[in-house]
Amino acid sequence: GTVVDAKGQPVGGAALALVPNGSSPAKLRTGFADDSGKFFFDNNPPGEYRLLAWEDVAPAALDDASFLKQFDSAAKVVTLEALGRQTVRLVANPAR
């Protein structure tokens, strides 16, 4: 996928969280976009996920369930099929 800002410009180095719906936050995956805003998560089990991105955030915040919960309305919901693949354009939450 690609992370962009509110103006549609790529956000290099954006922080990302891939949170399985109905699972504990311990199963979430985190990562960072490359310099051109590109990212990928591989080897994910089938299911529904919430995908979030931030222009700038402390990495420790990504492990905080209450922090992530604040952004539920901004999450992009993706459903992954077995052996499936999706390309997502995600708008990053502004720096806090």
Side-chain angles (χ1 to χ4, degrees), residues 28-47:
L28 77 92
R29 297 187 60 193
T30 60
F32 293 90
D34 68 14
D35 291 341
S36 64
K38 303 275 187 215
F39 69 91
F40 71 92
F41 290 98
D42 59 355
N43 298 318
N44 300 295

